[in-house]
Amino acid sequence: MSCERIANVVLAGLTLAPLVVNVDPNINVILTACLTVYVGCYRSVKPTPPTETMSNEHAMRFPFVGSAMLLSLFLLFKFLSKDLVNAVLTCYFFILGIVALSATLLPAIKRFLPTRWNDDSIVWRFPYFHSLEIEFTRSQIVAAMPGTFFCAWYASQKHWLANNILGLAFCIQGIEMLSLGSFKTGAILLAGLFVYDIFWVFFTPVMVSVAKSFDAPIKLLFPTADAARPFSMLGLGDIVIPGIFVALALRFDVSREKDSQYFKSAFLGYAVGLVLTIVVMNWFQAAQPALLYIVPAVIGFLAAHVLWNGEVKPLMEFDESKAGGSSGDGTMTNSTKKEE
């Protein structure tokens, strides 16, 4: 059994465990986040580069766009009915959840289906809007069926388990599908969100207020034994944003046919940063901006390793938009080679 498959099994078990046993929320946060990053990173290693690549300009604008959205949500919850806002958001995340869950389940489901169900595409055009069309396969329809029932359960019950499973699907898909393109873009994005997280958590009540009011799977909930504070929370951004940087390190290793040396450094940095977040949060008994600790740890561990090996130039010159895709068996073809 591969390490990725073992990580999937452990992550599933850890997600379900609080239903039957008391799991320390601090340990649960650390293990769940790290396993999600691990799974997402290995799923991002594909014959072709990730479908979405971020530019330097996008990375610079991202904290400002995120701030505008966060402030807008804060104002909506402040001036409109919380139930009304959450009802609209539930409808939105119902559709988004089906897409994310079906995409997450598809690799496991498609191996049991006929080959033509996986390969033959169906194109459906919207009535009266024939320029709009959706392309899908029969396998994707099959994978969407359990996702639809599951999202219906989430919408009706809003159980923490349903919230977490949808949140994990969003995280895995985000890490799998998004690409920073280069480490330079990644450093710009992480530096901007480092400041963003500190400002909105420490200097305003906006981030914490929205997190508590937003009844949607944008955060993971970890049951606690404290009746006054029944759940510990971790925002999905604290998993996805560092996760796409760690995934880039893995694909960089694969492109050079190395044994995941820089991936291990970046992943260790993520784990250390997350542990520091939990320690400081418990020490001060106050919400902490996780990226304050995760960003320096991820970049610092990777930078120290690169400097030690004297490979700063190859790492900084790496650009996925100019390289071929990585294959699942650990090889990557050059853009000058014929694509298979």
Side-chain angles (χ1 to χ4, degrees):
M1 184 180 288
S2 67
C3 292
E4 181 190 346
R5 190 168 297 179
I6 293 172
N8 275 303
V9 172
V10 175
L11 180 60
L14 191 63
T15 303
L16 298 172
L19 291 173
V20 291
V21 296
N22 290 326
V23 181
D24 184 279
N26 296 323
I27 295 175
N28 204 349
V29 168
I30 295 167
L31 292 180
T32 298
C34 289
L35 287 169
T36 304
V37 169
Y38 187 91
V39 170
C41 287
Y42 274 93
R43 285 179 61 124
S44 76
V45 180
K46 297 179 177 181
T48 56
T51 55
E52 300 293 336
T53 302
M54 187 176 292
S55 66
N56 289 349
E57 292 74 19
H58 290 146
M60 290 181 209
R61 287 200 299 264
F62 196 91
F64 298 102
V65 174
S67 296
M69 292 180 64
L70 183 65
L71 190 57
S72 298
L73 285 170
F74 177 76
L75 294 174
L76 282 175
F77 283 118
K78 187 175 180 66
F79 295 109
L80 295 179
S81 167
K82 185 184 296 186
D83 292 337
L84 174 63
V85 176
N86 279 318
V88 173
L89 292 171
T90 296
C91 294
Y92 172 73
F93 279 97
F94 178 84
I95 304 299
L96 202 61
I98 294 173
V99 175
L101 272 177
S102 60
T104 303
L105 294 173
L106 185 61
I109 292 175
K110 67 191 302 183
R111 69 184 67 176
F112 300 106
L113 300 175
T115 303
R116 60 191 299 268
W117 283 31
N118 301 326
D119 298 334
D120 295 346
S121 297
I122 300 170
V123 178
W124 183 78
R125 290 180 173 83
F126 284 81
Y128 309 108
F129 299 95
H130 299 296
S131 59
L132 298 176
E133 60 183 34
I134 300 176
E135 185 175 338
F136 53 88
T137 63
R138 292 180 178 86
S139 297
Q140 289 174 321
I141 295 175
V142 173
M145 290 178 182
T148 302
F149 287 110
F150 187 87
C151 288
W153 175 52
Y154 166 76
S156 62
Q157 301 296 323
K158 295 295 182 73
H159 194 277
W160 65 264
L161 177 61
N163 174 90
N164 285 6
I165 291 175
L166 285 175
L168 292 173
F170 291 144
C171 288
I172 290 171
Q173 287 304 301
I175 296 171
E176 177 183 354
M177 303 304 294
L178 295 174
S179 171
L180 293 168
S182 68
F183 288 98
K184 188 181 298 183
T185 302
I188 293 171
L189 178 67
L190 264 61
L193 291 176
F194 172 81
V195 176
Y196 161 92
D197 218 21
I198 293 172
F199 175 77
W200 288 112
V201 173
F202 282 154
F203 296 99
T204 76
V206 172
M207 180 82 78
V208 175
S209 175
V210 170
K212 290 180 178 179
S213 302
F214 205 138
D215 191 10
I218 61 162
K219 56 186 180 291
L220 299 183
L221 303 173
F222 302 91
T224 70
D226 185 357
R229 193 171 64 96
F231 294 102
S232 290
M233 297 185 296
L234 180 67
L236 302 192
D238 299 327
I239 299 175
V240 175
I241 299 301
I244 57 179
F245 188 85
V246 177
L248 183 66
L250 176 61
R251 295 194 298 274
F252 174 65
D253 288 338
V254 172
S255 73
R256 305 166 71 231
E257 300 184 1
K258 299 290 185 179
D259 186 24
S260 303
Q261 57 173 345
Y262 292 126
F263 165 71
K264 291 175 181 176
S265 299
F267 183 76
L268 179 60
Y270 179 77
V272 170
L274 198 58
V275 170
L276 281 173
T277 305
I278 299 299
V279 170
V280 176
M281 182 184 68
N282 284 284
W283 181 271
F284 290 103
Q285 290 295 303
Q288 296 293 316
L291 295 182
L292 169 62
Y293 310 97
I294 293 173
V295 167
V298 170
I299 294 179
F301 273 64
L302 180 62
H305 195 174
V306 171
L307 288 169
W308 179 267
N309 289 343
E311 294 187 321
V312 175
K313 186 176 180 180
L315 182 131
M316 294 305 295
E317 290 179 346
F318 178 67
D319 189 339
E320 284 194 305
S321 65
K322 299 177 182 177
S326 56
S327 67
D329 61 357
T331 60
M332 178 176 280
T333 59
N334 241 308
S335 58
T336 56
K337 294 181 181 179
K338 182 179 179 181
E339 292 184 6
E340 294 184 351

